[in-house]
Each structure stands twice: as structure tokens, then as C-alpha cells.
Amino acid sequence: QLQLVESGGGLVQPGGSLRLSCAASGFTLDYYAIGWFRQAPGKEREGVSCISRSGGSTKYADSVKGRFTISRDNAKNTVYLQMNSLKPEDTAVYYCAAHRLDLILHYCDLSDPQNYWGQGTQVTVSS
């Protein structure tokens, strides 16, 4: 079964940190650019960050620039999202998604259609 599984969410105080993981099973992430998205209650889903197949190209939403860092470990078939200086407005369900790019190594974009989605992990930032 092909699936993405997120983990690492939880409750954290403002200013705290969390690291989310996105692990693939049933397929290799080597051929996929990976994106992180989030959806807060009553709001539309928004793109947070993405990383190219090579790991050499990344993009971030303006709201998280300088606070979040995306990375990948293809040997572990896992992508990470390090979230620092968390704010209450970061509270949301976070999803990872995979976009297949067979011939392109150094590209990702949060507006691209995704081939696979995870089930999401809840992040709550509150005192």
C-alpha cells in the first residue's frame, strides 16, 4: 500500500519547537518533490514549504520564512519540517504530500498537483 505518514505533532507553547516527519511506505520518495501544507479550523488549506528531489531547492510561505526548515533524508525515505519560534497562528493540521517529477531534480512548487497525501498531524500552539 502506497502511503505517507506524518508524525511529530503535538501541543507546544508559543516560542517552542516541533519537528514533523513524513515517512513514505510502499514507494520511494527519490522521485518526488515533497510539500508540507496546513489547514486551520475554518480556513482553506495553505502551502507551507516544499523541497525538490535533490534537496537543493526549497520554498517557504512568507508566514514561516526564517522559522521553519524543510529537509529530506532519502536514505530513510523521510522528509522533515523543523518548526521553531512557533506562534498560535501556526495551529493547524499539517499534511505532507508528494509530487512525482521523473526528470526534474531541482524544483518544487506548492501550487503543483500532488500525487499522494498523508493523513495529517495536529499541531497546537497554545499557552
Side-chain angles (χ1 to χ4, degrees):
Q1 186 176 1
L2 308 179
Q3 60 178 353
L4 295 171
V5 179
E6 302 95 337
S7 62
L11 173 64
V12 63
Q13 293 186 341
S17 298
L18 285 173
R19 188 177 80 157
L20 304 183
S21 298
C22 172
S25 64
F27 68 107
T28 176
L29 289 180
D30 289 5
Y31 295 99
Y32 295 82
I34 305 299
W36 282 98
F37 300 79
R38 67 186 181 186
Q39 187 166 21
K43 295 187 177 181
E44 291 188 355
R45 186 174 62 201
E46 65 171 340
V48 175
S49 181
C50 67
I51 188 166
S52 64
R53 287 179 55 194
S54 67
S57 179
T58 59
K59 292 183 180 177
Y60 297 92
D62 287 343
S63 58
V64 306
K65 279 180 182 176
R67 300 188 298 122
F68 290 11
T69 303
I70 192 170
S71 62
R72 65 190 297 157
D73 185 339
N74 286 348
K76 293 183 178 180
N77 220 22
T78 302
V79 173
Y80 305 97
L81 186 68
Q82 178 67 43
M83 306 187 297
N84 298 330
S85 302
L86 283 161
K87 305 175 181 180
E89 50 265 42
D90 293 318
T91 296
V93 178
Y94 283 71
Y95 302 89
C96 65
H99 176 211
R100 182 151 184 151
L101 291 168
D102 286 347
L103 302 179
I104 305 173
L105 292 176
H106 311 297
Y107 166 86
C108 74
D109 196 276
L110 291 164
S111 64
D112 285 340
Q114 307 295 318
N115 299 101
Y116 300 106
W117 288 87
Q119 294 299 306
T121 184
Q122 176 70 47
V123 172
T124 303
V125 185
S126 175
S127 55

